[in-house]
Each structure stands twice: as structure tokens, then as C-alpha cells.
């Protein structure tokens, strides 16, 4: 399967983004071209206190810098900042970008409302955020749904929270509900190469791979007609290889090309 490109890529931009210094636009573009992609995107983090003008200036300069290497799309990865899925990004700001990736689970970031600490409350809170993001007209792609929540609760990044080790705890009716809303609103869902290639291969206390139930999550989305977007979430040049693992998950779903998300210029 030939992918259109990798559009979840972080940068060397400071202080907004946290990619390594080597993540210059030209270096990323050259690495993407070596992978035979037809395009790529840069998506620096955009938090509630980020300078949007500085982000746009960086992305505009990056597109000029990479023009002779590979076509580049301008995006950001942002997050929910409250319990109803609001973004720190205005509609006017979103129109100046080619796409917006939104994370439902940046709970360890400053200014982001956290879910309840008990397992049931946390899962329900997260499900509601996923639905809200799928309905938000500013959101093009929802990044690493559920996966980062597993990491945060199991690795101690959210002290005092019940451990959520896999999607076994998430009813399939919830997944179907999310799939229906995402399909209706044409909101894509990311297959994130960091989580598929590393964390989800670990084993929980029961010996079951974290990824086994997660694969079922994507099977339900694919069968419902939801668009999927493989992304590396790269913070270093070596991380760009993570797209291969995400692509492998995508191929296993036997997804038609029309269901693979790619950026389109906003109206």
C-alpha cells in the first residue's frame, strides 16, 4: 500500500514544539522523499499558551524551505482543554492551516482538564471527549485515541489514577458510537506509529498484549467507513520509521484508498 505521506511530524521549533534539533523542515522533507512519499506535513504542538503567529511564520518559512524537495502541508497538533472538547485554536486560526490534529489525551499538559481518577469515570470522560472531537468542525484528525491514556495511567504520569491497561475495558457499543460520529463528520482517526510499534506491544498483568484489543478498535472503525490516518508522531529523524508499523496495521485492515485520510486545503 502506497501512503500519501506522513502528516503527524514534530519539529525543532522552540519553545512551541519539542522535536529534536535535527527536526529541521529540510531534513524532514529529505527523509520523506527518501521514503518515496508524494507529500508530508509538519504539525508542531499548539497549546493554550502557544504563539499562533510564531507557529504560522515557522510553517510558512518551512514550506518555502522545502518547496524544491517535497510538497509540504501546514498543520498543528493541539488538544482538548476542557471537559467538552474545546480547543485552544479559534476557527479563524484553523482556517490559516491546512489541517488540525487534535489529541483527546494530553492530560499531562498544562491547562488541560483531567478526567476522574477512577477507571469507569476516566473511561467515560475520555469517550465523551472523543465524540466531541469527532463533532468539532475544526478537527481533521484525532490522534492516538485511547493509547496515550493507557500509557499515562500505566507509567505513572497521572499519579493516583486507576491503571487502564487495554481497551478490553471499553464496550464495543462505545466504539461503534464513536465510529458513527466520526464517519458522519468525516473526521479521521490516527493509527499512531509510536504506540503501535512500541507501547502496545507490551504485556499487561494478564499477559495479554495491550495491542490486541486496540486492533479490534480499528477493525470496528474501518468496517464503519471511518477514514484512518497513519502517522509517525516523530520527534527525531529516526522516529520517522514508525510510519512503517502504522502502515502495517493499516494494511491488515485491507482499507480502500478512499478511507485513507490526506490533507485538503481549507475553504
Amino acid at each position: 500500500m502506497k501512503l500519501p505521506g506522513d502528516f503527524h511530524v514534530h519539529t525543532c521549533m522552540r519553545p512551541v514544539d519539542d522535536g529534536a534539533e535535527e527536526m529541521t523542515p529540510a531534513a524532514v522533507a529529505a527523509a520523506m522523499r527518501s521514503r518515496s512519499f508524494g507529500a508530508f506535513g509538519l504539525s508542531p504542538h499548539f497549546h493554550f499558551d502557544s504563539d499562533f503567529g510564531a507557529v504560522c511564520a515557522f510553517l510558512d518559512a518551512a514550506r518555502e524551505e522545502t518547496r524544491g524537495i517535497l510538497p509540504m502541508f501546514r498543520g498543528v497538533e493541539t488538544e482538548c482543554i476542557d471537559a467538552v472538547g474545546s480547543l485552544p485554536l479559534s476557527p479563524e486560526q484553523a482556517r490559516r492551516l491546512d489541517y488540525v490534529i487534535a489529541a483527546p489525551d494530553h492530560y499531562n499538559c498544562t491547562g488541560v482538564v483531567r478526567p476522574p481518577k477512577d477507571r469507569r469515570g476516566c473511561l467515560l470522560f475520555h469517550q465523551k471527549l472523543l465524540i466531541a472531537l469527532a463533532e468539532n468542525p475544526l478537527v481533521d484528525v484525532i490522534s492516538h485515541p485511547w493509547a496515550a491514556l493507557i500509557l499515562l495511567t500505566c507509567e505513572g504520569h497521572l499519579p493516583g489514577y486507576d491503571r487502564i491497561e487495554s481497551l478490553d475495558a471499553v464496550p464495543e457499543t462505545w466504539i461503534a458510537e464513536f465510529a458513527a460520529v466520526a464517519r458522519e463528520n468525516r473526521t479521521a482517526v490516527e493509527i499512531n506509529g509510536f504506540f503501535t510499534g512500541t507501547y502496545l506491544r507490551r504485556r499487561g498483568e494478564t499477559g495479554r498484549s495491550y495491542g490486541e484489543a486496540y486492533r479490534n478498535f480499528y477493525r470496528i472503525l474501518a468496517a464503519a467507513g471511518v477514514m484512518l490516518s497513519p502517522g509517525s508522531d516523530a520527534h527525531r529523524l529516526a522516529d520517522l520509521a514508525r510510519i512503517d508499523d502504522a502502515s502495517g496495521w493499516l494494511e491488515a485492515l485491507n482499507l480502500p484508498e478512499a478511507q485513507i485520510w490526506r490533507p485538503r486545503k481549507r475553504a
Side-chain angles (χ1 to χ4, degrees), residues 21-245:
E21 290 184 5
E22 64 186 6
M23 294 296 282
T24 65
V28 172
M32 294 292 186
R33 186 172 65 180
S34 73
R35 304 185 72 81
S36 300
F37 285 147
F40 76 105
L42 294 181
S43 52
H45 285 114
F46 186 78
H47 304 300
F48 80 100
D49 57 352
S50 295
D51 183 338
F52 184 73
V55 171
C56 280
F58 177 87
L59 292 172
D60 288 342
R63 185 157 57 184
E64 288 302 313
E65 181 181 343
T66 60
R67 189 175 296 278
I69 305 173
L70 205 64
M72 190 202 104
F73 288 87
R74 301 157 59 258
V76 295
E77 182 188 18
T78 190
E79 61 263 331
C80 304
I81 55 174
D82 58 26
V84 295
S86 302
L87 305 181
L89 196 72
S90 70
E92 293 73 25
Q93 291 171 330
R95 282 195 290 269
R96 294 181 60 188
L97 301 166
D98 297 322
Y99 63 96
V100 173
I101 300 172
D105 42 22
H106 279 179
Y107 298 128
N108 56 328
C109 291
T110 302
V112 174
V113 172
R114 292 184 173 184
K117 292 185 177 182
D118 67 285
R119 174 189 287 253
R120 176 72 180 180
C122 186
L123 291 172
L124 184 59
F125 183 94
H126 196 72
Q127 170 74 359
K128 289 180 177 179
L129 286 192
L130 287 173
I131 298 294
L133 288 182
E135 292 176 335
N136 192 321
L138 304 186
V139 176
D140 296 289
V141 180
I142 298 174
S143 60
H144 42 68
W146 295 109
L149 182 63
I150 293 172
L151 182 148
L152 291 171
T153 60
C154 291
E155 295 283 302
H157 299 294
L158 293 177
Y161 277 72
D162 290 344
R163 290 169 62 92
I164 298 172
E165 289 198 345
S166 83
L167 288 188
D168 289 328
V170 178
E172 287 196 1
T173 54
W174 288 15
I175 303 174
E177 177 191 19
F178 170 58
V181 176
R183 182 190 64 240
E184 180 181 352
N185 290 277
R186 295 188 60 78
T187 306
V189 178
E190 181 186 56
I191 301 179
N192 185 289
F194 167 69
F195 292 100
T196 61
T198 56
Y199 196 75
L200 290 170
R201 286 180 176 167
R202 301 182 189 182
R203 299 269 164 183
E205 293 172 354
T206 63
R208 178 178 169 89
S209 166
Y210 295 166
E212 288 175 35
Y214 206 61
R215 287 183 186 276
N216 188 54
F217 170 76
Y218 283 109
R219 282 193 289 266
I220 294 172
L221 295 187
V226 177
M227 290 186 294
L228 300 180
S229 176
S232 66
D233 201 353
H235 288 67
R236 301 173 302 149
L237 291 176
D239 296 340
L240 293 171
R242 292 173 179 165
I243 193 71
D244 295 335
D245 203 87

